[in-house]
Amino acid sequence: MIIKYFIVAALTATILSSCSGDMSSNDTVSSTAANPKVDKSVSSADVTTNAIQVGKDYHSFANPESIKVTHLNLDLTVDFAKKVLVGTAELDFQKVDPNATQLILDTRDLTINSVTAMGKEVHFDLGNGDSFLGAALTIEVPAAADSVLISYQTSPKASGVQWLTPEQTAGKKHPFLFTQAQAIHARSFIPLQDSPQVRMTYDATIRTTKELLAVMSASNDPDTERDGVYAFSMPQPIPSYLIALAVGDLHFKSMGERTGVYSEQGILDAAAAEFADTESMLIATEKAFGPYSWDRYDLLILPPSFPFGGMENPRLSFITPTVIAGDKSLVSLIAHELAHSWSGNTVTNATWRDLWLNEGFTTYLTYRIMQMVYGDERFEMEAVLGRQDLQADIDALPAKDQIMAIDLRGRDPDDVFSNIPYEKGALFLRELEHKVGRENFDQFLLGYFETFAFKSITTDQFVSYLEQTLLKEHSDQLSKQRIEQWIYQPGIPEDAPVPESDAFSIVDQARDAWLAGSIQADEISSEKWVVHQWLYFLNNMPEKLSQEQLADLDKVFALTNSKNNEIAHSWLLISVNNWYQPAFTRLHDYLTSIGRNKLVKPLYKALSQTPEGKVMAKKAFDEAKAGYHPLTVKANEGFVQ
């Protein structure tokens, strides 16, 4: 889901979408780029064997080792008036243990009306709720049963569902609903085994009013009739966090043979134009990393309250409208969500400890896709910005949270989303590529995606596969000790790759000259700068600037009124940290019109550092709260209390 909350966060932050990446816990301002020494006191053995059961999902009550769900059949009615989903979930299962008598599912704030098996009601028990795990639903399963039918409804406060009034949409005429299941929010709208190691196929029937269209992370027919009853099928087995639903006044526009975009009518043309290269990205990725396995690849542009940059729901990625910049400067996010079709959706992390297998591979592929479609210069700029983002997290996070195979026991799995699984994972893979050569590494990736297609794997399985392939074939270039250092120790190993970009040298020269007073803002030759260079210019400013300096920049470049949400974010953060009041009207409008955590959380945190700022933050939060996603509320309410 998808992320950066610090001032060096730059354009490549848009790729850390969600994938829930926008929920990163790092809010620190930093601009250093040195490689820290690795803490030798934390060993691979300390991390991997200290009471951690490899492959055990500590964030699920489910018992797939005894009974494993294989297929879900949903039939839900959307009730906008009551803000609930009402209906049934039929779960087909296999008894891994032939003697098993109980099926245990995950739920959160669900009302369970009844459970039947083989046409008869069966006993069930809904346990006490945990603060973030929810409650276990234990079902007594008859010996001959291979499915159960659960009648239930959701809560209006379901953590994975957002209900928007017509006034909170672009069209202002119809309500809107969308779900967000990653990491463990699927259990808030479906009773199921909410663990990434449980993959299942699904069918669904969604019932709503005739003027609205329902879409899901499944087969969507662009020409479907608007009749209020919509049928979906997902024939490939997926983990629960990839189940997604949206209902609204949606319209479709094709972008290519296999790609198109859904959105409200008012932004449809702009979205299709902005993301017109999606088909080219798909073709390039297939050529390099193997066939696309999901039939179509469409985009759904959500209202601006969507809390993440994007979410890689298969066949239909959910996308924030904040990346519609008019110049394709933020489309690395689309490349990232597309790349998940190989790494994440096809080969999935078995537990949230193993998230880096999803996001590290996907971030690496994102850079490669951007290079194939847009060329070396853009690839190099985005790689530099990503490396800076990673360094900022290394500087800010405790050592235990700098480890790719992180220990998340007893913690909300949303805590795993930082630059560590994304950028550190990608940098690790880039080092492997540099050491064995791109051609050899690409062959490794092809084999990896084929070997583990439609499977969920652990870090340990990946290391074992690496030993059997690259390590065995390139023992003169690679060592297991170095690989384990990357995965199981904090920090960035010494001599890790350091991306460079000539395009930033002229930006450094201009910034340094302006800061020294050698030139005024109107003497900066920025006419040919791209968005990446502007972000690099702003994000590497010193922490403190004078009011005169800020006014000089704003007068010449109109930064307060920037239409690019990433540039505006960087400028507004600088304005808060230096109390530049001419930007505060825009700041309030920004906070009350956007719900994407990566963009609003750093601003709320910065405002909360002073009494005057907290007053401003509370005013904006109180006005915007009703339209924020529950995850955005949770992430920011502490700053205004």
Side-chain angles (χ1 to χ4, degrees):
M1 292 68 237
I2 332 226
I3 267 175
K4 324 293 199 218
Y5 297 137
F6 37 84
I7 217 168
V8 300
L11 183 68
T12 51
T14 62
I15 68 174
L16 305 187
S17 52
S18 64
C19 322
S20 294
D22 283 2
M23 296 299 295
S24 166
S25 59
N26 181 16
D27 304 88
T28 300
V29 175
S30 174
S31 59
T32 60
N35 288 334
K37 301 284 187 180
V38 173
D39 183 356
K40 305 299 184 183
S41 65
V42 181
S43 69
S44 168
D46 289 332
V47 175
T48 58
T49 63
N50 183 22
I52 293 179
Q53 297 181 42
V54 173
K56 176 179 173 60
D57 189 342
Y58 289 95
H59 298 97
S60 172
F61 295 113
N63 62 335
E65 71 284 352
S66 299
I67 300 181
K68 187 172 185 178
V69 172
T70 58
H71 182 78
L72 164 69
N73 191 0
L74 276 177
D75 191 324
L76 295 176
T77 296
V78 180
D79 189 334
F80 278 101
K82 295 181 179 179
K83 296 184 178 180
V84 295
L85 299 171
V86 182
T88 60
E90 184 176 14
L91 302 173
D92 297 343
F93 55 79
Q94 292 179 346
K95 288 188 176 181
V96 180
D97 176 359
N99 298 316
T101 60
Q102 292 183 331
L103 170 64
I104 304 176
L105 306 176
D106 295 297
T107 75
R108 181 188 291 132
D109 299 327
L110 297 181
T111 298
I112 307 299
N113 299 316
S114 65
V115 181
T116 60
M118 304 176 69
K120 296 181 180 180
E121 288 199 16
V122 296
H123 178 75
F124 68 89
D125 177 68
L126 188 62
N128 295 325
D130 177 84
S131 59
F132 56 83
L133 294 182
L137 174 61
T138 302
I139 300 170
E140 299 296 332
V141 177
D146 59 6
S147 69
V148 293
L149 180 68
I150 304 169
S151 172
Y152 75 100
Q153 75 174 46
T154 63
S155 164
K157 297 181 179 180
S159 63
V161 185
Q162 183 168 21
W163 302 86
L164 299 175
T165 65
E167 293 73 26
Q168 294 167 331
T169 67
K172 309 298 182 184
K173 293 182 180 180
H174 300 285
F176 201 108
L177 152 74
F178 67 87
T179 66
Q180 169 60 37
Q182 195 181 38
I184 58 171
H185 300 285
R187 64 190 67 180
S188 74
F189 57 96
I190 309 171
L192 38 58
Q193 292 182 325
D194 195 11
S195 171
Q197 63 189 243
V198 179
R199 305 182 71 105
M200 59 190 168
T201 54
Y202 81 85
D203 295 298
T205 300
I206 305 298
R207 307 172 192 275
T208 185
T209 55
K210 291 184 178 181
E211 64 269 20
L212 300 181
L213 177 67
V215 292
M216 292 194 76
S217 56
S219 56
N220 292 283
D221 179 3
D223 300 317
T224 189
E225 180 183 356
R226 280 181 187 250
D227 59 5
V229 180
Y230 304 99
F232 303 93
S233 178
M234 170 51 75
Q236 293 96 342
I238 62 171
S240 54
Y241 75 86
L242 293 177
I243 299 174
L245 165 68
V247 180
D249 185 16
L250 296 171
H251 301 268
F252 177 82
K253 187 167 185 175
S254 175
M255 297 187 297
E257 184 179 348
R258 291 176 291 172
T259 59
V261 60
Y262 291 88
S263 75
E264 292 186 78
Q265 188 67 57
I267 61 171
L268 186 61
D269 289 342
E274 191 79 9
F275 308 132
D277 295 334
T278 304
E279 189 84 25
S280 298
M281 291 181 182
L282 177 56
I283 293 170
T285 311
E286 279 191 307
K287 184 177 180 181
F289 303 114
Y292 179 71
S293 301
W294 305 90
D295 189 25
R296 292 190 58 82
Y297 181 73
D298 294 321
L299 308 175
L300 170 64
I301 313 305
L302 289 166
S305 62
F306 186 51
F308 308 121
M311 182 62 209
E312 65 270 19
N313 303 312
R315 298 173 180 252
L316 185 67
S317 288
F318 283 20
I319 304 296
T320 172
T322 63
V323 296
I324 302 176
D327 57 6
K328 301 183 181 181
S329 59
L330 305 180
V331 297
S332 58
L333 184 140
I334 305 301
H336 185 87
E337 305 311 330
L338 171 64
H340 266 302
S341 301
W342 283 261
S343 52
N345 297 3
T346 300
V347 183
T348 305
N349 53 268
T351 74
W352 296 111
R353 175 179 185 250
D354 309 301
L355 178 69
W356 77 271
L357 291 173
N358 275 23
E359 300 299 353
F361 274 83
T362 298
T363 303
Y364 171 84
L365 291 182
T366 302
Y367 288 130
R368 293 289 303 278
I369 294 170
M370 296 303 291
Q371 184 178 27
M372 289 185 289
V373 177
Y374 296 103
D376 291 344
E377 183 174 78
R378 181 156 178 178
F379 160 72
E380 291 163 356
M381 285 192 291
E382 295 193 353
V384 169
L385 296 174
R387 180 63 170 78
Q388 286 192 336
D389 291 343
L390 171 59
Q391 187 60 52
D393 262 8
I394 294 295
D395 292 341
L397 292 169
K400 65 185 179 65
D401 287 350
Q402 299 173 23
I403 295 169
M404 283 157 52
I406 187 174
D407 183 356
L408 283 170
R409 289 172 296 173
R411 299 174 63 182
D412 189 326
D414 285 341
D415 290 348
V416 73
F417 293 98
S418 74
N419 282 300
I420 303 305
Y422 290 78
E423 293 290 351
K424 184 177 177 181
L427 197 63
F428 164 56
L429 297 177
R430 190 170 188 180
E431 177 172 290
L432 294 181
E433 176 207 321
H434 286 183
K435 288 191 173 184
V436 305
R438 175 165 287 187
E439 182 177 349
N440 290 327
F441 191 63
D442 283 357
Q443 287 300 311
F444 164 78
L445 289 176
L446 282 167
Y448 171 76
F449 293 138
E450 182 178 351
T451 299
F452 296 109
F454 300 105
K455 296 178 182 177
S456 299
I457 67 171
T458 66
T459 297
D460 300 73
Q461 287 175 284
F462 168 77
V463 172
S464 177
Y465 182 74
L466 202 57
E467 287 184 272
Q468 300 167 29
T469 53
L470 282 186
L471 266 171
K472 183 177 181 180
E473 297 159 7
H474 301 277
S475 58
D476 56 333
Q477 299 293 329
L478 303 174
S479 74
K480 186 176 180 181
Q481 181 180 7
R482 175 75 170 186
I483 289 166
E484 290 183 335
Q485 182 183 28
W486 271 102
I487 296 173
Y488 299 116
Q489 294 188 7
I492 305 172
E494 292 185 75
D495 302 320
V498 180
E500 298 178 347
S501 172
D502 293 338
F504 288 149
S505 60
I506 60 173
V507 178
D508 285 328
Q509 293 169 10
R511 188 194 315 101
D512 292 346
W514 178 76
L515 288 169
S518 303
I519 61 173
Q520 298 299 307
D522 60 6
E523 297 176 90
I524 296 175
S525 300
S526 62
E527 294 80 7
K528 296 183 179 180
W529 285 9
V530 297
V531 169
H532 306 72
Q533 290 169 300
W534 273 111
L535 289 168
Y536 183 79
F537 176 76
L538 292 173
N539 293 338
N540 289 282
M541 285 289 181
E543 184 176 351
K544 294 300 179 183
L545 295 171
S546 71
Q547 295 296 302
E548 292 74 20
Q549 287 174 315
L550 294 167
D552 187 28
L553 287 177
D554 203 9
K555 179 181 178 181
V556 174
F557 302 118
L559 293 168
T560 294
N561 296 315
S562 174
K563 301 301 182 183
N564 184 293
N565 284 302
E566 296 282 349
I567 291 176
H569 165 80
S570 294
W571 175 249
L572 292 173
L573 193 55
I574 291 173
S575 298
V576 172
N577 289 330
N578 291 276
W579 208 248
Y580 179 63
Q581 297 186 52
F584 286 176
T585 298
R586 174 68 194 284
L587 172 64
H588 180 85
D589 292 343
Y590 192 88
L591 289 172
T592 55
S593 62
I594 292 174
R596 184 180 174 191
N597 261 303
K598 182 184 79 74
L599 299 179
V600 300
K601 184 177 178 182
L603 296 171
Y604 276 120
K605 182 177 182 183
L607 284 168
S608 72
Q609 301 307 302
T610 65
E612 300 85 355
K614 182 165 284 191
V615 171
M616 291 175 58
K618 188 176 189 313
K619 180 181 179 182
F621 187 81
D622 288 346
E623 182 177 328
K625 182 178 179 180
Y628 279 161
H629 189 278
L631 294 177
T632 303
V633 173
K634 182 179 76 170
N636 294 285
E637 59 187 353
F639 297 129
V640 299
Q641 294 174 348

